[in-house]
Amino acid sequence: MQPVFTGVSDAPAAPQVAVVVDVMRAFTVAAGAFRRGAERIVFAATQEEALELKARNPGRLAVQDGPPVPGFDLADSPARLREPDVRGRTIVQRTTAGTTGALAVADAGLLLCASFPVARATAEVLRRSEARTAAFVITGDDGRAAADLACAEYSAALVRAPATDPGPCPARARRSGAAARLAEGVRRGWGGVHPEDVELCLAADVDPFAMAAVRLDGRLVLRPVS
């Protein structure tokens, strides 16, 4: 498999395979939600759409990034996700980077969403797909996010060499601008940020599932896949 690394704005509209990467924090949050028993995640393009999807379906939980917004149940924080019971629940997720990137390549033949916790499982799905190429969509910092690129390169390396050591890639992500911004948010007491978020985002290969998104009833829906 030949990996192609691209930002959201440069991503092909309908690649054969797309891997959308958001390490800090959308798809680390998504992985944590599935680990805790969430059934599925529905992506929304805007906050307004997210709240509308929640209002139409009682029992859904809505998550967004940035400062707390009335109507949203969860912050885009993997550590804060440990508090609510999400078992069997549908989560509506809207974030500036991750969900926006996924919606940009919604017509991909195979659409995976990735972060370090699901990196190895993502590589296994890619290997089984036998795709010749895969577009890795770097969602943060206009396609330049060091943490996302480190995760993408690690997953791509695992496709070729399953014994690849994850160590250097999370270490790169730890030095990234995104990690520094999260640490600054903790120091300043920003809402929706938790002191453990960075470490949880850097925990490689803790989940046995990948995360695949498909269109369902006109919406892009994310589910775990073994």
Side-chain angles (χ1 to χ4, degrees):
M1 183 201 75
Q2 179 65 40
V4 177
F5 304 101
T6 178
V8 175
S9 60
D10 299 324
Q16 179 188 5
V17 176
V19 182
V20 184
V21 186
D22 188 340
V23 169
M24 298 187 189
R25 296 167 282 171
F27 297 145
T28 299
V29 168
F34 291 132
R35 189 184 315 136
R36 290 168 177 78
E39 180 179 348
R40 63 180 185 170
I41 295 174
V42 181
F43 292 152
T46 65
Q47 289 182 345
E48 293 76 14
E49 182 184 10
L51 292 177
E52 179 185 356
L53 287 171
K54 174 191 169 183
R56 282 193 216 157
N57 300 272
R60 287 186 174 184
L61 299 171
V63 58
Q64 55 85 40
D65 57 0
V69 174
F72 283 88
D73 307 284
L74 307 172
D76 191 41
S77 161
R80 295 188 186 280
L81 185 70
R82 295 179 300 201
E83 300 167 6
D85 184 359
V86 299
R87 289 174 295 178
R89 306 289 288 272
T90 292
I91 294 174
V92 180
Q93 187 179 36
R94 186 272 170 187
T95 67
T96 306
T99 61
T100 299
L103 289 166
V105 291
D107 292 325
L110 171 64
L111 174 51
L112 303 173
C113 294
S115 56
F116 276 115
V118 297
R120 183 172 294 276
T122 300
E124 290 294 335
V125 173
L126 291 172
R127 188 180 301 111
R128 291 199 305 267
S129 76
E130 299 183 347
R132 293 184 178 180
T133 63
F136 285 82
V137 182
I138 309 304
T139 61
D141 296 335
D142 296 323
R144 300 185 300 273
D148 293 348
L149 182 58
C151 180
E153 290 179 347
Y154 174 52
S155 282
L158 284 169
V159 177
R160 301 187 298 271
T164 298
D165 178 10
C169 291
R172 284 168 51 196
R174 190 185 301 277
R175 299 189 297 270
S176 69
R181 287 192 293 272
L182 283 180
E184 179 67 12
V186 171
R187 286 192 294 270
R188 296 193 177 196
W190 293 347
V193 180
H194 190 281
E196 296 179 41
D197 279 349
V198 170
E199 292 306 316
L200 290 172
C201 289
L202 300 178
D205 307 329
V206 299
D207 292 312
F209 54 80
M211 301 185 296
V214 297
R215 287 192 185 276
L216 184 64
D217 298 329
R219 303 291 178 185
L220 193 61
V221 177
L222 188 70
R223 286 194 174 101
V225 294
S226 60

